[in-house]
Amino acid sequence: MSFKKKLAAAPALAAAVIAAVALLLTSPAAGPAVAQEDADVIKVGILHSLSGTMAISETTLKDAVLMLIEEQNRKGGLLGKKLVPVVVDPASEWPLFAEKARDLLSREKVAVVFGCWTSVSRKSVLPVFEELNGLLFYPVQYEGQESSKNVIYTGAAPNQQAIPAVDYLLDQGVKRFALVGTDYVFPRTANKIVEAYLLTKGIKQEDIYINYTPFGHADWQSIVAEIKRFGTTGVKTAVISTINGDANVPFYKELAAQNISAESIPVMAFSVGEEELSGIDTKPLVGHLAAWNYFQSVENPANATFIAAWKEYIKDPKRVTNDPMEAHYIGFNLWVKAVEKAGTTDVDAVLKAIVGLETPNLTGGTARLLANHHLTKPVLIGEIQDDGQFQVVWSTEGEVEGDAWSDYLPESADLIADWTDPINCGNYNEKTKTCGGSEAAAPAQ
Amino acid sequence: MTFPPPPYASPAGNPVRSGRAAPAGRKETAAYRRPRATRALAAAAFCALAFGAGDLPAEDGLAVDPEVRASLASSKVQDRDLAIERLAADFSPEAGAIMAALLAGDLYVDRDTSDLYLRDPGGAGYSPAGSGEPTDGESLSLRKVGTNNRQRSALAGILNGRSLRHPDVNVRREASAALVSDSGADEAFGAFIRELLAEEKDSRVRGNYEKILAARALRDPASSREDILAALGTLKERLSPEAQGLIRERTGAEDPEIAAAAREALSRMEATIQHISLFDTVFFGLSLGSVLALIAIGLAVTFGVMGVINMAHGEMVMLGAYTVWAFQELMPGRPGLALILAVPGSFVVAAIVGAAIERGVIRFLYNRPLETLLATFGISLILQQAVRTFVSSNNRPVVTPPFMAGQWYWTEHLSITWGRFYIIVFCLAVFLMILLVMKRTRLGLEVRAVTQNRPVARAMGVNSGRVDLMCFMLGSGVAGMAGAALSQLANVGPNLGQNYIVDSFMVVVFGGVGNLWGTLVGGLLIGMANKFLEPVNGAILAKIIIMCGIILFIQRHPRGLFPQKGRAAAA
Amino acid sequence: MKAFDRPTRIFFALAAAFALAVALGSLRPEGSALSVSPLTVSVLGKYMCLATLALSVDLVWGYMGILSLGHGAFFAMGGYAFGMYLMRHIGDKGVYVSELPDFMVFIGWEKLPWYWLGTDVFAYAAFLSVAAPGLLALVFGWTAFRSRVSGVYFSIISQAMTYALMLAFFLNALGFGGNNGFTDFKEILGFDIHTRGMATTLFALSAALMLLFYWICRTVSVSRLGLAVRAIRDNEDRVRFAGYRVERVKLFVFTLSAMAAGLAGALFVPQAGIINPNSFSPLFSIEAVICVALGGRGRLYGAVIGAFLVNWLKTTLTGLMPDAWLFVYGLLFVVVTVFLPEGVAGLLSRIRNPLAGRLKGERRGTEARA
């Protein structure tokens, strides 16, 4: 072919390529193969980051849900159909979370999604779930101040974690508190609630020290020195730590380096579980505390079975279980029960059926789903042991009901969430008897 | 029932249920540390001593009470509380040994016979409580006796109290120092301390007792004037907020002499505190700066010499940190040795990976620094995912060996952490090593030649390809060693590199590309600036201000602190 | 040289046809032939915005030779500016039923800070999303170019700039929502955001912006200014000695590209549904550069192709192989950088003219400096 012909041919070639790409993108077949609704399977979406900063925490949850699906399939599936997992990786990028959520709901047409960890990821997918009337089970302890019709919150609300933890410390005679956290919404809310609560308990303002650090803050020398100064006045002091994920490791290392032992200034953490401890040398941390609704060390048959199944599934006897995994366990079982009760996976029917359902948790009690889409959960305080496990030193008598709207903050003290008739509202003001925001009933589309 | 007196009172309103059974474990535990006793614990110690004779019989022979043994073996926390209470009243050396072992986590019980065994931290096995030869514990089914915070505090208090009359002066010093922060309110305690003071010969221990008595004197409204003046004199050496508070109260006294003495004492204390704070900040800044400089040195070498912007540099650091973990996995029980061996190990690992990158990718990209940036960015993604897939996406635990833990007290108040001190020394050592390589070896000569003028160097017979390879390996290797140091301070996870890459670029650019001294000085300066700004503005703003500062600095001195000289160093 | 030479015409034709097809297809009922789902529309709309960002990077890098590793900052600033408008228009339908955005109620602020005033007016918000990044570019560029900071140094300090902005925006105290950013948008100009019509409109606007900016870049590049720009890329000193005000040219082009990036960001935010300080992260800016490198810099359509390719890969690979997509992604960058230095566009033009640039002595001029 001569040059001229090539010259003429090339734009056509390029056009063909681009047109093909365009058709590909716009066709329903773009992406993973399984796109049509298959009458014999029920699809379950898993929306956890498998790369990026949150992969450390979220990869385990993906595996946990896969294990639960496998177990359910062994029991014969759900409504006679097989459960098929659809795993996507939003790569710790929040816009990608929204995109993937939309993908799962509108293209893959999953019946339910288990996912999210950070509050940002949840907030970014929330409008998508509300618009497309999806169902999300959110397994992580969070700051509250939210309740959506399309989300079931299986993690702890602040009154199921922060308040009982503070009670325990006050019991131990702690009179001075250092509230140390990462600068984002969960620590800020938790600290606000804790501060308000402490003031009602008679702790003086000057005995409360608050400090925020950026994400991934690695150099804790100055702050730990400050904590040491604050804490060695002869009055019993404790640190309440809402430090996020990764930054905990250098924080604890610095505490150990500056010789702050748990006996002198105990640190009560809200975001440190067995998973985080498996990445740290825990010998210097022995005696420090954490507050959760579940610990792997709790001895009872359901937990033992779960742990054994997990270790076998993941093929690693050294892997640990933690609270968000239990939350997914509870959430999954509740969903299965609700679907069986409703006879369908249709989201509205499931939401109607699920309120009030109960399922056993892994600490020997029962979890019940409340009208505000939160659970009843027991609160456990554990001390870190040198093998990375927690020794439970205190627990609530029974389960605590999750409160979406904190009673200790003026802007939410009057609000409740109730998704049953007649209220059907996520932020219902009990004083004025009105429903605020767009959470009022009518389903979208 | 609780042991006298309960360290944590349980108010009627809140039910405090004791915890469930502790899981049994056989892992090693940390060295025994004596935490400072609180007021209540000191009182516990006092009570314990007040009941007893105070001197320890030298012979052994008393078998441990079988009831106590059974209580310790029980899995219930209350039973163990009871056992501790009984042991507190028992002044035999066995009881002391058992309590010490219990505190350190070295007390084991045989599941079948309920016999108690003390584990030797030095590895000599398990010796039965009371007397007997150490065994290796193989034939016994041993379970560790666990404790919780409360019990450990109480044990520490009891043992501290016992140590006040210990024959070894160092033990007495430590124990008396632990008591200084509390000066119990009751008269009996004061009398007890005076009694000890009268017996004591060692000046440091006496000093501690005098401080306790001085604090008591200031607190007592009935103290005489001379007592108060003497107390002020003694206490101004102590810098705790408690002492400050006590002295501050006296500044408003009617007696002008007392008020003046108090004011003088207070101002002395405040001046000293400021000095200490300054010292602390400088040390913190140096240690942060040395970490930054360590990471940046490797980058400076590759950047300056080859003009290669290596976005995978952070991953080299990460690989070095993972090497430490791998060594520690291979040598369980010897974290210190593992760490020391891992330093050259991480150099080797990172250098090999660096060589692979250089030969595989960068070799094709010379004279295109911006393309190398993109290619190495792709490589960094691959390395991160490789670690996530083949090792784990979770963080890996790295143990801090004993020689890196703890603090070095220069004076009573000035202290530095050993770990960071070693890292500063390590950074300087690495820097010197690189400097020597650059200035004294053939490789260094060739590297400098190639940096200044590559074509002419080649014309003079220098194999610039080989120089580039060695240089990149050196830079990556140093990054690996930085990772080994970093493993002691931070997470070891796949994202480790990403946290430091931006900062290390800043350091290199600030210090002057290709200049080793610039990198060192730049890193230290940035670290210090960060630490000085932090208490004032908070950590986040401090970082932002530093960033803006560097940007502005580059505007004024576009080539950094120590610019490259020479004609060929244009562009 | 004409602005509308052959490749440009072809590109415009294809792009316009594509956009039209998608827009019309999105209005057809779902499931019918040639229909386009709302998911695809919103994804393609985002790709269009990212393509505009890539174009802006190409303008300063491919044509002017300045590698800015912080261009994402301008994109994000525009996004935040428009985000302020969207937040104001949640009004009292937010969680706390207050005129103030939720996050302000939560941190206890009583009234809007001064920099939020006026952002409930659409025109002002639109203006701000162009002006704020433009201003930042003006100030940053002026100080940088005046001191003759160039090459690698400029890249690094532009990265520092975006990193510092990221840290700043993470601060809750700054009044931009901290880590949670802006989300939960309800309406634009009275229209509900969550309808198909709105999705289509946003897509059409994004496509229009991309084409408009493409045309602007093209016009600039064939003008005398464009010649000066390319001359600066090839040898800055020579241009200076020839009497041109190099700093002014650089500043103009830099600011222009920043403003376009800002506008692209503003259109991106309602389609993504969220903006948070991670958009300021150095990683995001590097991805924009990767788009241009992959697509082929110095050719505007290369940037667009690259942007679509990279983002499409991300979307599909994270669904197709969630555990291993980073391997493929990273490998791709390495391969393309090493073997296809002129990107996909270079590949296309090589198909067209196999001997281009292969003859001895011919210099393409894309990388004249070491």
Side-chain angles (χ1 to χ4, degrees):
Chain A
M1 252 206 281
S2 74
F3 261 129
K4 271 216 159 156
K5 284 221 181 118
K6 279 209 192 123
L7 216 64
L13 177 66
V17 166
I18 297 181
V21 169
L23 273 175
L24 218 72
L25 281 177
T26 58
S27 86
V34 189
Q36 315 302 48
E37 254 181 67
D38 195 339
D40 288 334
V41 301
I42 298 179
K43 292 199 205 165
V44 176
I46 302 180
L47 188 64
H48 282 301
S49 301
L50 306 175
S51 57
T53 49
M54 295 315 297
I56 290 179
S57 313
E58 296 197 54
T59 316
T60 311
L61 292 184
K62 166 202 86 153
D63 290 321
V65 179
L66 288 176
M67 177 181 85
L68 291 167
I69 291 178
E70 209 179 89
E71 272 181 27
Q72 185 66 29
N73 278 335
R74 269 202 291 269
K75 291 190 218 162
L78 184 59
L79 294 183
K81 303 185 196 163
K82 190 165 156 218
L83 288 173
V84 167
V86 181
V87 181
V88 293
D89 176 16
S92 309
E93 285 180 31
W94 321 128
L96 210 52
F97 261 95
E99 199 181 294
K100 291 289 169 202
R102 194 174 281 276
D103 190 42
L104 284 173
L105 290 176
S106 60
R107 201 170 55 81
E108 295 279 359
K109 302 215 190 325
V110 298
V112 67
V113 177
F114 291 88
C116 293
W117 181 290
T118 58
S119 288
V120 197
S121 63
R122 190 187 73 249
K123 286 209 182 291
S124 92
V125 303
L126 203 55
V128 177
F129 275 89
E130 287 178 353
E131 182 193 328
L132 299 174
N133 203 25
L135 181 57
L136 172 71
F137 279 81
Y138 177 71
V140 182
Q141 31 88 275
Y142 78 123
E143 69 278 6
Q145 314 300 83
E146 179 184 307
S147 176
S148 165
K149 171 174 165 276
N150 298 88
V151 180
I152 307 284
Y153 304 85
T154 50
N159 76 315
Q160 292 170 312
Q161 189 186 38
I163 303 289
V166 173
D167 275 334
Y168 173 78
L169 288 174
L170 288 170
D171 246 17
Q172 302 289 304
V174 177
K175 297 259 185 333
R176 273 163 84 83
F177 290 82
L179 310 180
V180 178
T182 308
D183 185 9
Y184 80 111
V185 73
F186 172 64
R188 284 203 176 247
T189 317
N191 285 345
K192 259 178 101 170
I193 296 175
V194 166
E195 195 186 354
Y197 186 69
L198 284 174
L199 291 172
T200 66
K201 289 282 180 178
I203 302 290
K204 297 196 282 281
Q205 187 71 55
E206 61 260 22
D207 284 332
I208 305 178
Y209 163 78
I210 305 187
N211 180 285
Y212 292 104
T213 44
F215 274 93
H217 187 67
D219 194 290
W220 290 91
Q221 298 178 90
S222 325
I223 298 177
V224 170
E226 185 60 42
I227 292 175
K228 207 171 171 180
R229 269 192 286 275
F230 181 76
T232 47
T233 55
V235 177
K236 182 104 193 122
T237 311
V239 175
I240 296 187
S241 150
T242 40
I243 297 170
N244 177 265
D246 267 10
N248 272 303
V249 175
F251 175 62
Y252 281 122
K253 285 192 165 159
E254 193 61 39
L255 282 176
Q258 293 199 24
N259 258 339
I260 299 179
S261 70
E263 290 86 19
S264 49
I265 307 180
V267 173
M268 166 81 73
F270 293 155
S271 304
V272 174
E274 289 86 344
E275 191 79 47
E276 286 75 27
L277 287 184
S278 70
I280 316 179
D281 167 30
T282 46
K283 284 198 245 324
L285 305 182
V286 171
H288 285 303
L289 305 157
W292 289 102
N293 312 113
Y294 164 86
F295 286 117
Q296 182 179 348
S297 62
V298 171
E299 285 173 6
N300 79 66
N303 197 14
T305 322
F306 181 74
I307 295 172
W310 167 248
K311 289 190 178 177
E312 201 194 304
Y313 178 83
I314 204 81
K315 300 192 190 18
D316 182 355
K318 288 203 260 183
R319 289 290 286 268
V320 297
T321 58
N322 62 6
D323 186 301
M325 285 173 72
E326 196 224 14
H328 263 339
Y329 172 83
I330 295 175
F332 187 80
N333 287 337
L334 281 175
W335 177 71
V336 164
K337 283 202 164 115
V339 169
E340 283 169 350
K341 180 169 162 195
T344 163
T345 57
D346 170 61
V347 171
D348 290 314
V350 169
L351 283 175
K352 257 206 171 55
I354 202 171
V355 174
L357 280 186
E358 290 186 355
T359 187
N361 61 23
L362 292 175
T363 49
T366 329
R368 183 164 53 89
L369 190 71
L370 305 164
N372 59 8
H373 283 186
H374 285 70
L375 292 175
T376 58
K377 302 179 95 139
V379 187
L380 311 171
I381 310 279
E383 276 188 16
I384 299 178
Q385 304 291 295
D386 59 8
D387 58 355
Q389 291 294 317
F390 289 89
Q391 178 195 56
V392 178
V393 294
W394 184 83
S395 63
T396 50
E397 291 286 338
E399 284 90 25
V400 177
E401 288 190 358
D403 187 7
W405 298 99
S406 176
D407 296 332
Y408 297 99
L409 295 181
E411 58 262 24
S412 57
D414 299 328
L415 297 178
I416 61 154
D418 187 335
W419 290 106
T420 56
D421 295 318
I423 295 181
N424 232 326
C425 174
N427 49 349
Y428 180 75
N429 191 318
E430 286 192 302
K431 282 235 172 70
T432 65
K433 301 257 184 281
T434 53
C435 182
S438 60
E439 324 289 10
Q445 315 308 52
Chain B
M1 221 180 139
T2 51
F3 32 84
Y8 302 106
S10 178
N14 279 325
V16 179
R17 240 197 5 214
S18 10
R20 309 188 192 169
R26 292 189 198 189
K27 297 272 190 73
E28 303 147 47
T29 56
Y32 163 59
R33 265 199 314 263
R34 292 180 183 217
R36 286 153 49 116
T38 62
R39 186 168 303 185
L41 297 170
F46 154 65
C47 288
L49 269 159
F51 287 138
D55 42 32
L56 310 166
E59 338 82 59
D60 51 39
L62 293 167
V64 177
D65 190 294
E67 238 184 83
V68 171
R69 270 192 297 146
S71 304
L72 282 174
S74 155
S75 59
K76 291 221 213 120
V77 173
Q78 300 98 310
D79 290 341
R80 279 175 279 151
D81 283 349
L82 202 63
I84 293 176
E85 195 189 315
R86 298 283 294 270
L87 284 170
D90 178 352
F91 288 90
S92 63
E94 280 100 35
I98 289 178
M99 282 197 285
L102 186 59
L103 182 57
D106 286 332
L107 186 67
Y108 286 76
V109 66
D110 188 328
R111 279 183 240 258
D112 310 317
T113 63
S114 285
D115 279 334
L116 294 172
Y117 288 85
L118 284 73
R119 196 184 72 93
D120 176 24
Y126 301 84
S127 34
S131 60
E133 287 302 306
T135 78
D136 61 6
E138 295 291 321
S139 49
L140 313 158
S141 77
L142 291 176
R143 181 172 70 83
K144 192 168 98 153
V145 182
T147 49
N148 67 17
N149 253 348
R150 205 161 40 92
Q151 290 165 341
R152 280 195 296 277
S153 297
L155 282 170
I158 295 169
L159 290 168
N160 263 346
R162 295 193 172 201
S163 319
L164 289 174
R165 284 199 160 113
H166 200 278
D168 181 355
V169 69
N170 287 315
V171 173
R172 287 205 306 278
R173 283 180 185 168
E174 246 187 86
S176 56
L179 280 183
V180 165
S181 63
D182 339 289
S183 27
D186 47 18
E187 187 45 46
F189 185 72
F192 173 55
I193 297 288
R194 268 188 280 273
E195 194 187 309
L196 287 172
L197 183 62
E199 297 173 2
E200 186 58 54
K201 307 274 189 310
D202 178 71
S203 58
R204 273 170 63 173
V205 185
R206 287 179 65 89
N208 289 332
Y209 291 145
E210 276 158 13
K211 285 188 189 137
I212 298 176
L213 289 172
R216 289 179 52 81
L218 279 184
R219 214 179 263 120
D220 187 352
S223 303
S224 72
R225 199 166 156 279
E226 290 75 29
D227 283 342
I228 293 180
L229 283 172
L232 286 172
T234 318
L235 266 191
K236 69 180 177 214
E237 303 305 315
R238 275 196 64 205
L239 296 177
S240 77
E242 205 201 349
Q244 280 189 31
L246 284 176
I247 296 186
R248 191 168 288 125
E249 275 166 34
R250 294 289 171 170
T251 52
E254 287 121 27
D255 186 329
E257 210 183 319
I258 290 184
R263 268 196 296 275
E264 191 238 332
L266 205 57
S267 63
R268 280 272 294 274
M269 286 167 87
E270 276 163 7
T272 318
I273 288 179
Q274 285 217 357
H275 288 144
I276 292 173
S277 168
L278 183 66
F279 173 82
D280 272 348
T281 312
V282 168
F283 177 71
F284 293 161
L286 279 179
S287 95
L288 174 63
S290 67
V291 171
L292 285 177
L294 202 55
I295 299 174
I297 285 177
L299 201 60
V301 170
T302 52
F303 202 177
V305 172
M306 302 157 66
V308 168
I309 308 174
N310 184 9
M311 295 294 290
H313 190 77
E315 274 59 43
M316 298 294 147
V317 175
M318 181 212 10
L319 287 175
Y322 269 85
T323 312
V324 174
W325 167 72
F327 269 76
Q328 287 192 342
E329 288 282 299
L330 290 173
M331 296 193 228
R334 293 165 175 251
L337 186 62
L339 181 63
I340 295 181
L341 286 180
V343 169
S346 45
F347 182 92
V348 168
V349 167
I352 291 176
V353 175
I357 296 176
E358 206 273 341
R359 285 287 105 179
V361 177
I362 297 187
R363 189 160 54 115
F364 303 110
L365 295 174
Y366 280 134
N367 293 332
R368 289 144 70 185
L370 305 175
E371 255 96 353
T372 52
L373 184 150
L374 299 177
T376 49
F377 178 70
I379 293 174
S380 82
L381 291 180
I382 295 177
L383 284 174
Q384 279 182 48
Q385 192 62 16
V387 168
R388 252 183 227 122
T389 313
F390 297 119
V391 180
S392 159
S393 59
N394 293 344
N395 289 340
R396 296 287 90 196
V398 166
V399 176
T400 306
F403 68 85
M404 296 273 280
Q407 293 185 298
W408 177 20
Y409 284 89
W410 285 17
T411 72
E412 192 190 332
H413 304 291
L414 298 180
S415 68
I416 59 179
T417 43
W418 277 117
R420 293 201 174 251
F421 174 72
Y422 283 132
I423 288 178
I424 295 179
V425 169
F426 180 65
C427 164
L428 291 172
V430 167
F431 176 75
L432 277 174
M433 178 192 91
I434 303 267
L435 208 59
L436 278 174
V437 166
M438 286 292 159
K439 294 270 179 339
R440 293 289 151 98
T441 63
R442 173 86 196 169
L443 173 67
L445 183 67
E446 292 182 352
V447 163
R448 277 182 290 143
V450 167
T451 313
Q452 285 184 12
N453 199 323
R454 186 179 284 254
V456 172
R458 291 180 68 188
M460 308 265 307
V462 171
N463 184 343
S464 71
R466 197 185 74 97
V467 167
D468 289 330
L469 177 63
M470 298 300 281
C471 200
F472 199 81
M473 284 174 71
L474 183 66
S476 303
V478 172
M481 292 205 287
L486 211 54
S487 71
Q488 298 300 307
L489 300 175
N491 286 320
V492 175
N495 291 330
L496 176 62
Q498 296 300 304
N499 294 336
Y500 289 96
I501 189 77
V502 176
D503 289 317
S504 49
F505 274 125
M506 293 308 128
V507 169
V508 171
V509 159
F510 178 62
V513 168
N515 189 305
L516 290 176
W517 280 106
T519 311
L520 183 70
V521 171
L524 290 177
L525 277 179
I526 291 180
M528 299 264 257
N530 215 317
K531 283 296 153 185
F532 273 94
L533 286 173
E534 207 177 292
V536 178
N537 292 316
I540 310 168
L541 269 182
K543 261 197 127 134
I544 296 175
I545 293 174
I546 306 259
M547 288 278 146
C548 293
I550 294 180
I551 294 174
L552 289 172
F553 180 82
I554 295 290
Q555 321 280 30
R556 294 273 308 161
H557 297 272
R559 300 271 172 251
L561 269 181
F562 298 98
Q564 271 177 331
K565 297 196 255 270
R567 265 194 358 203
Chain C
M1 245 204 288
K2 292 191 305 174
F4 268 102
D5 68 348
R6 193 131 183 237
T8 312
R9 276 206 299 266
I10 297 174
F11 175 79
F12 260 75
L14 285 172
F18 177 68
L20 212 59
V22 171
L24 288 176
S26 76
L27 295 174
R28 285 179 61 77
E30 208 153 340
S32 55
L34 288 180
S35 78
V36 177
S37 68
L39 167 68
T40 316
V41 170
S42 79
V43 165
L44 288 176
K46 287 194 284 195
Y47 289 178
M48 285 290 179
C49 295
L50 292 169
T52 311
L53 174 64
L55 276 175
S56 70
V57 171
D58 195 20
L59 185 65
V60 291
W61 185 29
Y63 283 87
M64 204 157 70
I66 295 178
L67 176 62
S68 160
L69 290 178
H71 245 66
F74 305 126
F75 185 85
M77 279 197 91
Y80 263 95
F82 196 65
M84 290 204 278
Y85 168 83
L86 291 169
M87 291 301 277
R88 292 293 294 276
H89 278 264
I90 299 179
D92 56 4
K93 298 209 207 84
V95 163
Y96 289 116
V97 196
S98 142
E99 284 301 318
L100 293 179
D102 285 339
F103 66 88
M104 287 194 193
V105 176
F106 159 72
I107 47 180
W109 287 7
E110 304 284 310
K111 58 183 185 56
L112 283 176
W114 61 267
Y115 42 90
W116 275 77
L117 293 174
T119 50
D120 53 339
V121 177
F122 181 80
Y124 177 66
F127 166 73
L128 203 61
S129 56
V130 175
L135 192 64
L136 176 66
L138 204 65
V139 170
F140 184 77
W142 183 74
T143 39
F145 299 140
R146 198 174 64 111
S147 327
R148 313 267 177 99
V149 179
S150 61
V152 160
Y153 288 92
F154 185 84
S155 310
I156 304 282
I157 59 169
S158 63
Q159 193 179 54
M161 169 194 75
T162 194
Y163 188 68
L165 279 170
M166 179 180 82
L167 289 176
F169 273 75
F170 266 126
L171 282 175
N172 271 296
L174 203 69
F176 283 101
N179 180 46
N180 270 12
F182 296 160
T183 183
D184 201 24
F185 308 131
K186 305 267 188 251
E187 60 169 42
I188 301 181
L189 284 176
F191 298 108
D192 182 7
I193 264 191
H194 298 295
T195 58
R196 290 180 75 163
M198 180 55 79
T200 312
T201 316
L202 287 170
F203 166 78
L205 283 174
S206 314
L209 173 67
M210 193 268 286
L211 289 173
L212 177 67
F213 188 58
Y214 190 101
W215 180 80
I216 292 178
C217 290
R218 203 51 214 152
T219 313
V220 164
S221 79
V222 303
S223 69
R224 270 188 48 180
L225 179 65
L227 277 178
V229 164
R230 267 173 295 160
I232 289 173
R233 175 192 67 192
D234 291 344
N235 196 322
E236 194 176 311
D237 291 326
R238 210 180 277 164
V239 177
R240 195 172 283 125
F241 294 143
Y244 279 83
R245 304 285 218 110
V246 167
E247 282 71 43
R248 290 223 185 133
V249 172
K250 279 182 170 179
L251 196 58
F252 175 75
V253 174
F254 193 66
T255 313
L256 179 67
S257 89
M259 297 202 300
L263 207 50
L267 282 170
F268 183 84
V269 166
Q271 300 188 72
I274 182 171
I275 183 158
N276 100 318
N278 277 316
S279 308
F280 279 105
S281 71
L283 212 61
F284 181 66
S285 298
I286 291 181
E287 277 188 8
V289 171
I290 299 268
C291 292
V292 176
L294 213 65
R297 60 186 157 111
R299 288 170 243 255
L300 295 175
Y301 58 86
V304 177
I305 294 177
F308 267 78
L309 198 61
V310 167
N311 284 291
W312 176 75
L313 272 174
K314 219 206 271 197
T315 306
T316 45
L317 287 180
T318 51
L320 212 51
M321 36 161 75
D323 291 312
W325 69 278
L326 270 182
F327 279 126
V328 177
Y329 206 51
L331 201 62
L332 189 74
F333 295 158
V334 176
V335 163
V336 167
T337 327
V338 174
F339 294 112
L340 282 180
E342 290 174 24
V344 170
L347 193 64
L348 286 177
S349 77
R350 192 150 301 171
I351 295 173
R352 193 149 55 105
N353 190 355
L355 287 179
R358 297 289 192 91
L359 301 172
K360 279 203 165 77
E362 198 181 279
R363 258 196 349 177
R364 286 241 71 229
T366 38
E367 187 75 84
R369 277 194 297 208

